[in-house]
Amino acid sequence: MADQKMEMGEVGTSLMASEPQPTPARPPNKFERLFQPCLGELVGTTFFVFIGCVSVIENVESAGRLQPALVHGLAVAVMVACMAEISGSHFNPPFTLAVYLCGGMEMSMVGPYLACQLVGGVLGAAMAKAMTSRENYARAQGAAFALLQSESQIGRALFGEIAMTCLVTMVVLLGAVNAKTRSPLVPFMVGCTVIINVLAGGDVSGTCLNPARAFGPAIVSNYWTHHWVYWVGPIAGGLIAAALVRLLLGDQKIRLILK
């Protein structure tokens, strides 16, 4: 009986030993560390700008702001969910600057990310021009931000771009970078924030929030009236959000003061 138990024990040991051991995780190679994230930003920004521009150019008049609001927000949510593990799903220069300032990426990747986002914006706008009718494209100025026609509108529009970009950038930083508040729902959260921003501020500034979204259509349609608003406003808003998280709202690792 003792011999039988020993044999069973040996068999048990043998069976345990034969179980496959988990393969240790392979460190990412150079392509995955450097080139794939940039390609992710290029592709993601291209399709975001493409879908966003088409929604504006082909917008049904009776839908008002609802159609572009839903399209931009849902496009952001989908692309963020798909590309998060590849590039972090920025698709927006102010997001990249804010993430870097909060310690979420290396400085060496900031320049390539920004370049890929701007090129993606141009490609997306060109795709939208190729897809839409000439009449609708001309009427919508190629989905460039043509809302601002007088100097009296600039102050409100600039403030709106700063405030709304600050809001959506804070959602990104707190939902994806800050460990204390990090959430798997961040694609949904960012998409919803874009939707409510477009619905709230669409008639004030057009709700750009993203220089790449403004730059692409401006290049393709050659429309530059008050274009600077859509660079200064979003970048300032992103920097303010980064400062709030870095100084006050971030966890102990991110926060620079009052630790």
Side-chain angles (χ1 to χ4, degrees), residues 41-51 116 119-121 123-125 127:
E41 287 297 303
L42 176 65
V43 171
T45 308
T46 296
F47 280 99
F48 167 68
V49 173
F50 164 62
I51 293 296
C116 289
V119 172
L123 293 176
M127 289 168 61

Side-chain angles (χ1 to χ4, degrees), residues 126-246:
M127 289 168 61
K129 183 176 183 179
M131 176 177 169
T132 54
S133 67
R134 289 185 180 180
E135 295 78 11
N136 289 346
Y137 185 86
R139 185 172 63 248
Q141 297 288 351
F145 289 87
L147 183 67
L148 304 182
Q149 297 297 324
S150 68
E151 298 293 328
S152 63
Q153 297 174 284
I154 292 178
R156 294 191 298 273
L158 184 60
F159 178 77
E161 288 294 313
I162 292 171
M164 291 185 291
T165 308
C166 180
L167 173 59
V168 71
T169 307
M170 276 201 303
V171 172
V172 170
L173 295 176
L174 295 175
V177 179
N178 190 55
K180 187 177 180 180
T181 54
R182 196 174 293 153
S183 170
L185 296 176
V186 70
F188 171 78
M189 293 156 54
V190 175
C192 285
T193 308
V194 170
I195 290 172
I196 62 176
N197 276 340
V198 175
L199 290 175
D203 281 348
V204 176
S205 69
T207 312
C208 174
L209 318 180
N210 185 340
R213 167 65 180 83
F215 181 69
I219 284 281
V220 176
S221 66
N222 196 30
Y223 186 90
W224 299 98
T225 304
H226 302 306
H227 178 74
W228 64 270
V229 170
Y230 303 106
W231 283 82
V232 175
I235 291 174
L239 295 178
I240 291 170
L244 288 172
V245 172
R246 202 75 160 127

Side-chain angles (χ1 to χ4, degrees), residues 85-133:
E85 298 303 320
I86 297 176
S87 71
S89 301
H90 297 186
F91 314 139
N92 188 340
F95 288 178
T96 296
L97 295 174
V99 169
Y100 164 69
L101 291 173
C102 290
M105 67 183 299
E106 297 177 4
M107 186 178 182
S108 61
M109 296 300 291
V110 172
Y113 265 45
L114 298 179
C116 289
Q117 290 157 4
L118 295 178
V119 172
V122 175
L123 293 176
M127 289 168 61
K129 183 176 183 179
M131 176 177 169
T132 54
S133 67

